[in-house]
Amino acid sequence: MTQLTSDRLAGKRIAITGSTGFLGTALVERLMRSVPECDLVLLVRAGKRSTPAQRARREIFRNNAFARLLVELGEEEFWACVERRVTVISGDVSSDGLGLDDEGRRIIADCDIVIHSAATVSFDAPLDGAIEVNLLGPTRIVETLQDLGVAPHFVAVSTCYVAGNRRGSAPEQLLSDSPFHIDVDWRQEVTAARRARADFDSESRSAAQLESSRKKARNELGAAGTPLLAAKTEQIRQRWVADQLVEAGRARAASLGWPDAYAYTKALGERALVESKGNVPVSIVRPSIIESAWSEPNPGWIKGFRMAEPIIISYARGLLKEFPGVPEGVVDVIPVDLVVAAIINVAARGPLEDGTVDITQVASGTRNPLHYRRLVELVSGWFTENPLYDQKGQPIAVPEWSFPGRGAVERQLDRAQKNLAMADRALKLLPLRGKQAMVNAGIEEKRELVERASGYVKIYGAYAECEALYGVTGLLELHDSLAPADRDRFCCDPGVIDWDRYVREIHLPTVVDHARVKTTDERSDPDARIKRLRSRVLAPERQLAAFDLENTIIASNVVFSYAWLATRNLGPRDRLRFTLKTLGEAPNLLALDKRDRTDFLRHFYRRYDGASVAEMDRLGTELLADHILTKAFPAALRRVREHRRLGHRTVLITGALNIVVNPLRPLFDDVICAEMSVRDGKYTGELLAVPPTGEVRAQALRDYAALHGIDLGESVAYADSSSDLPLLEAVGFPVAINPETRLASISSKRGWLIEYWSKVDGGTDRFLPLGPLPSPRLSRR
């Protein structure tokens, strides 16, 4: 009588890598529930702010995969079972020796089976990262086992796509036994990948590349201040290095006949493992494209988005008008629970007696094929019957795909990207603000959608066009060898899948649920998100509200204020000369303001040299009544009062001069502004300190908060420009007011509250158009 799988594994201690991932979590759950007498050792990498045990608890055992077991045992017994049967140790397969301490080594040495499911599963991972995990990971494990003097059964999870971009039969055999075998020295590939990282990193630090990174940072953030621009420049530099490594991996994989760096590194990982295994018995399990569960732990269970989900949702939203593929080709998808069952069955069966490496492919294409056209028909039909809805409550009609070649789709998307990039550059040159600036944010959003679609085509197009047929003879023999009761409990036969039912009743409902997309025709309240964010901003527990002045409290700037003061006593003819003279200098000052706000203010405030302090104080009161109040945003004044009513401290932080700001002091608890030095009752035109703009403004806010014992994480900041980013990023609740183009895009991407405030009705702009303009010296009396 055939022994049950659970009995074969009873009393075994099983180590698992990759347990926080999709496949790993499903594997842990099935072993916990269906093999009750085995113990588990989970090798988990520490997080930035969490221990391996904390990660395991949060990312594995609190996942809804364990809902069934939680109900069966009850919460108290469930956690007692986890405590009793599971040991979590710190480790990292990308490090030599797995990063194990002495206790971890002792625990691993005591294991009977090691299942390696950890992988860099992204199809567009940087080459060196994929090499370290996918290629060297299995080898590091067997070398560690050899170093410990033990030889447990090692079950390595690979992928069917190690077979490469071939057509026709791809049997369960070692790659070295394949007639399509390409003899590549995996050690040289490791060396080359590491060298590529060093080479690209060195190139990224060249003067030309650094200048390019700085230019991109400034284009994205504007005059956000040196610290933020430096941080963004470094981020762009590192991203450039990663992008080059992604392209290097893609190119190297394609040159050797693999679809991407994932398949390429997995294939070389198999070769390295076979060479390095020594006396460690090895089995390799190769799944095809793993998707949501057929039945275990429950139908449709999935963890995160896999390969097909982003494409399906983009299609349902009408974003993917076309996608490449061979309509009569096979999409080799396999539910995760069948893969888990195959792994457990291989582990329970044990290694081959002759010591050779056995291969088990878990795929559906030869046993129960799902053709690409049929999949598209099922998806199209389901979303026609169950459409997604746009924000206006209108159903989204799904496009009809014509199955073009990958090159045609890529060219179409490339054209769209170029057109949107040109529109983006043009809009950023215009002085747009508020709702007009959000047009640019919409363009950027469309650019991102096109880039995402283009990425899907590049990454997944090869898989849609793949015509390899993966043999599963060993898999079916394994299934047939099971005890009758286990053929249901640990079913690994793809023939059980009803594709119409799986796609329509199991997978698509799950995908839609996870995507949190709109599935009803109810009109969304267009202001619902704004109301929600506004309620958080005005929550009683907020502690401080910091406000910028220009274009946040009033529709004015330092130039308007100066123009009012400078022309207050001028006649019509002198005023006209003033206007004509300053218009000619406006472009240079605008450029200076865009480059550096602090330098602009210093330069501009020189015009106050010799101005009478007494006269400026007198005119300041008139400025409030005649100029500022006509340009004030009533909503801004109400918001300040609302914060004060709620008990929040309020502070105005502005680069404007105290001459302009003094009349507004009663509105706020405190004011931080620019001040000029005085000599003999006259202003010198020189500032007493660095004006509070950019990073100085953010530091002033931090100092103010520290002085008053305020938590900036519970505070709010209001501003209008990307130069105010340091201020906005310093608080927990940033608000963009009538944002200019860059801040509109940044705020939209980051999900910040955006408010549109208009000035009082009847207000007039008596002087000059928006933009910094020079003027003659002020009165020296």
Side-chain angles (χ1 to χ4, degrees):
M1 182 176 177
T2 305
Q3 190 178 18
L4 293 173
T5 295
S6 57
D7 291 340
R8 291 182 179 183
L9 294 174
K12 302 291 186 184
R13 199 174 201 192
I14 305 172
I16 301 174
T17 70
S19 56
T20 59
F22 173 43
L23 178 61
T25 296
L27 178 60
V28 171
E29 190 279 336
R30 184 76 75 89
L31 288 169
M32 291 281 290
R33 179 167 50 83
S34 300
V35 188
E37 294 182 30
C38 75
D39 292 331
L40 304 180
V41 173
L42 308 183
L43 188 78
V44 178
R45 187 178 64 248
K48 289 183 179 179
R49 297 181 180 85
S50 54
T51 65
Q54 289 170 334
R55 280 195 66 201
R57 189 177 182 89
R58 181 179 67 250
E59 299 177 35
I60 302 173
F61 298 110
R62 290 197 181 280
N63 185 274
N64 62 359
F66 289 86
R68 179 172 169 182
L69 187 59
L70 193 62
V71 170
E72 290 177 4
L73 297 180
E75 185 165 2
E76 185 176 345
E77 176 55 28
F78 171 78
W79 289 112
C81 179
V82 171
E83 182 71 21
R84 186 172 61 251
R85 295 182 56 196
V86 178
T87 302
V88 179
I89 62 174
S90 178
D92 184 355
V93 299
S94 66
S95 300
D96 290 339
L98 307 182
L100 296 172
D101 58 19
D102 290 342
E103 179 63 10
R105 287 168 60 85
R106 185 193 64 76
I107 292 170
I108 288 293
D110 195 38
C111 290
D112 304 288
I113 301 167
V114 176
I115 301 175
H116 175 51
S117 70
T120 296
V121 297
S122 173
F123 295 140
D124 60 345
L127 174 60
D128 61 327
I131 286 281
E132 294 297 332
V133 176
N134 296 344
L135 195 162
L136 291 175
T139 297
R140 287 193 178 103
I141 295 174
V142 294
E143 288 178 345
T144 299
L145 296 174
Q146 291 164 8
D147 183 53
L148 292 170
V150 296
H153 182 199
F154 182 57
V155 181
V157 180
S158 184
T159 175
C160 283
Y161 292 93
V162 296
N165 293 325
R166 71 167 74 173
R167 290 185 173 93
S169 176
E172 295 166 299
Q173 61 183 182
L174 291 173
L175 297 177
S176 57
D177 296 334
S178 168
F180 303 103
H181 169 65
I182 300 174
D183 190 15
V184 176
D185 187 330
W186 61 268
R187 292 179 180 84
Q188 290 183 3
E189 297 298 304
V190 172
T191 301
R194 290 172 173 170
R195 186 171 59 244
R197 159 70 71 173
D199 290 346
F200 287 129
D201 188 78
S202 177
E203 185 180 349
S204 74
R205 299 172 190 273
S206 68
Q209 193 57 47
L210 287 173
E211 180 58 33
S212 174
S213 297
R214 287 183 61 201
K215 185 177 180 180
K216 289 177 181 177
R218 182 167 285 279
N219 183 59
E220 184 174 338
L221 300 184
T226 300
L228 279 183
L229 286 171
K232 175 57 70 173
T233 299
E234 176 61 12
Q235 184 185 86
I236 290 171
R237 184 193 72 81
Q238 293 179 6
R239 190 168 62 217
W240 182 87
V241 172
D243 289 344
Q244 302 311 302
L245 286 165
V246 168
E247 288 304 317
R250 191 174 289 150
R252 183 56 176 155
S255 74
L256 296 173
W258 281 290
D260 50 40
Y262 171 70
Y264 153 69
T265 53
K266 277 290 192 178
L268 294 186
E270 284 192 20
R271 295 182 189 179
L273 173 61
V274 172
E275 280 188 32
S276 308
K277 73 182 187 66
N279 66 336
V280 176
V282 170
S283 298
I284 296 175
V285 177
R286 293 175 182 161
S288 57
I289 300 169
I290 308 176
E291 287 292 348
S292 65
W294 168 245
S295 61
E296 300 277 350
N298 50 69
W301 177 81
I302 197 169
K303 186 177 183 181
F305 266 17
R306 315 316 307 163
M307 172 179 160
E309 288 68 50
I311 300 172
I312 289 172
I313 291 300
S314 295
Y315 170 76
R317 284 174 165 165
L319 303 177
L320 270 182
K321 305 298 183 183
E322 289 286 5
F323 201 79
V326 180
E328 63 270 32
V330 172
V331 180
D332 208 311
V333 173
I334 193 75
V336 64
D337 44 339
L338 271 70
V339 180
V340 166
I343 293 170
I344 293 174
N345 291 332
V346 167
R349 182 197 61 195
L352 296 181
E353 292 182 359
D354 61 5
T356 58
V357 175
D358 68 287
I359 309 290
T360 303
Q361 294 185 160
V362 193
S364 60
T366 53
R367 169 69 167 153
N368 184 12
L370 172 62
H371 294 283
Y372 188 36
R373 181 181 291 280
R374 181 56 182 157
L375 174 61
V376 172
E377 288 172 349
L378 289 170
V379 173
S380 175
W382 194 87
F383 280 111
T384 299
E385 296 171 11
N386 307 277
L388 302 187
Y389 290 80
D390 61 23
Q391 293 302 312
K392 296 179 181 179
Q394 297 300 310
I396 300 172
V398 291
E400 183 175 342
W401 285 354
S402 60
F403 306 102
R406 192 156 28 128
V409 179
E410 287 180 352
R411 287 190 294 273
Q412 178 186 357
L413 291 170
D414 285 344
R415 284 195 298 271
Q417 281 182 278
K418 289 177 182 177
N419 291 336
L420 288 168
M422 289 174 59
D424 178 52
R425 286 194 296 271
L427 286 170
K428 279 183 176 172
L429 294 174
L430 300 176
L432 303 179
R433 183 171 291 281
K435 292 184 178 180
Q436 291 177 323
M438 291 306 294
V439 173
N440 181 253
I443 292 289
E444 285 204 358
E445 184 178 349
K446 289 179 181 177
R447 262 184 84 184
E448 289 179 0
L449 290 173
V450 171
E451 286 174 4
R452 199 177 308 157
S454 181
Y456 295 155
V457 171
K458 287 180 180 177
I459 295 168
Y460 303 131
Y463 289 87
E465 293 177 335
C466 180
E467 295 184 80
L469 297 173
Y470 305 110
V472 291
T473 302
L475 176 72
L476 298 180
E477 290 175 354
L478 178 65
H479 182 265
D480 291 342
S481 71
L482 299 176
D486 279 344
R487 290 175 189 170
D488 288 328
R489 293 179 64 200
F490 296 101
C491 175
C492 57
D493 180 3
V496 303
I497 306 167
D498 178 339
W499 288 117
D500 284 21
R501 176 170 174 257
Y502 176 75
V503 173
R504 293 179 57 84
E505 299 178 27
I506 296 175
H507 189 65
L508 291 180
T510 297
V511 169
V512 168
D513 182 59
H514 276 247
R516 297 180 182 178
V517 288
K518 188 172 171 58
T519 57
T520 66
D521 60 359
E522 294 180 3
R523 281 177 171 264
S524 299
D525 179 358
D527 298 325
R529 179 179 166 278
I530 293 174
K531 291 173 183 175
R532 184 175 69 255
L533 292 174
R534 192 179 291 152
S535 69
R536 295 177 65 196
V537 162
L538 293 172
E541 58 267 26
R542 300 292 87 81
Q543 299 179 19
L544 170 70
F547 290 83
D548 183 23
L549 175 63
E550 297 160 357
N551 295 309
T552 301
I553 299 292
I554 59 173
S556 183
N557 55 39
V558 297
V559 180
F560 272 103
S561 300
Y562 178 80
W564 190 93
L565 294 168
T567 61
R568 186 69 180 132
N569 298 315
L570 295 181
R573 184 173 296 178
D574 289 337
R575 189 182 294 251
L576 178 61
R577 275 199 297 268
F578 165 77
T579 301
L580 293 175
K581 180 177 183 294
T582 56
L583 282 173
E585 298 182 51
N588 290 335
L589 285 173
L590 281 168
L592 178 60
D593 191 23
K594 285 183 178 181
R595 282 197 306 272
D596 191 294
R597 181 68 173 170
T598 297
D599 288 347
F600 162 73
L601 291 178
R602 280 203 178 102
H603 175 80
F604 191 82
Y605 288 158
R606 294 284 190 271
R607 288 159 175 75
Y608 283 90
D609 181 20
S612 166
V613 173
E615 178 70 3
M616 291 300 99
D617 287 344
R618 183 185 70 79
L619 290 176
T621 304
E622 293 184 28
L623 178 67
L624 174 68
D626 191 69
H627 174 60
I628 294 179
L629 292 184
T630 61
K631 294 177 177 295
F633 299 133
L637 305 182
R638 288 195 297 269
R639 183 62 58 87
V640 176
R641 294 191 183 103
E642 179 69 4
H643 278 293
R644 298 191 74 173
R645 185 188 68 78
L646 290 166
H648 306 158
R649 198 172 188 93
T650 58
V651 60
L652 176 67
I653 308 184
T654 173
L657 289 169
N658 56 335
I659 301 168
V660 176
V661 172
N662 282 337
L664 295 172
R665 286 183 183 275
L667 187 62
F668 300 90
D669 290 303
D670 290 292
V671 171
I672 301 171
C673 62
E675 296 187 38
M676 288 185 295
S677 61
V678 176
R679 186 184 303 118
D680 299 328
K682 298 182 185 296
Y683 287 114
T684 65
E686 297 178 1
L687 295 173
L688 290 172
V690 179
T693 62
E695 66 270 25
V696 177
R697 182 180 300 187
Q699 188 57 52
L701 182 64
R702 293 188 189 98
D703 294 343
Y704 182 88
L707 179 65
H708 295 282
I710 291 170
D711 179 4
L712 287 181
E714 290 293 337
S715 300
V716 186
Y718 297 84
D720 71 294
S721 169
S722 62
S723 64
D724 302 313
L725 268 178
L727 175 73
L728 294 169
E729 290 186 346
V731 300
F733 299 88
V735 184
I737 304 299
N738 303 331
E740 46 77 43
T741 305
R742 285 189 178 89
L743 184 60
S745 297
I746 293 167
S747 301
S748 181
K749 288 177 184 176
R750 299 187 185 183
W752 292 352
L753 175 61
I754 300 174
E755 300 267 28
Y756 304 106
W757 293 345
S758 56
K759 61 187 178 182
V760 65
D761 291 340
T764 58
D765 295 339
R766 295 176 48 196
F767 303 106
L768 301 171
L770 275 173
L773 300 170
S775 64
R777 299 288 186 187
L778 285 169
S779 168
R780 294 174 178 267
R781 70 172 89 159

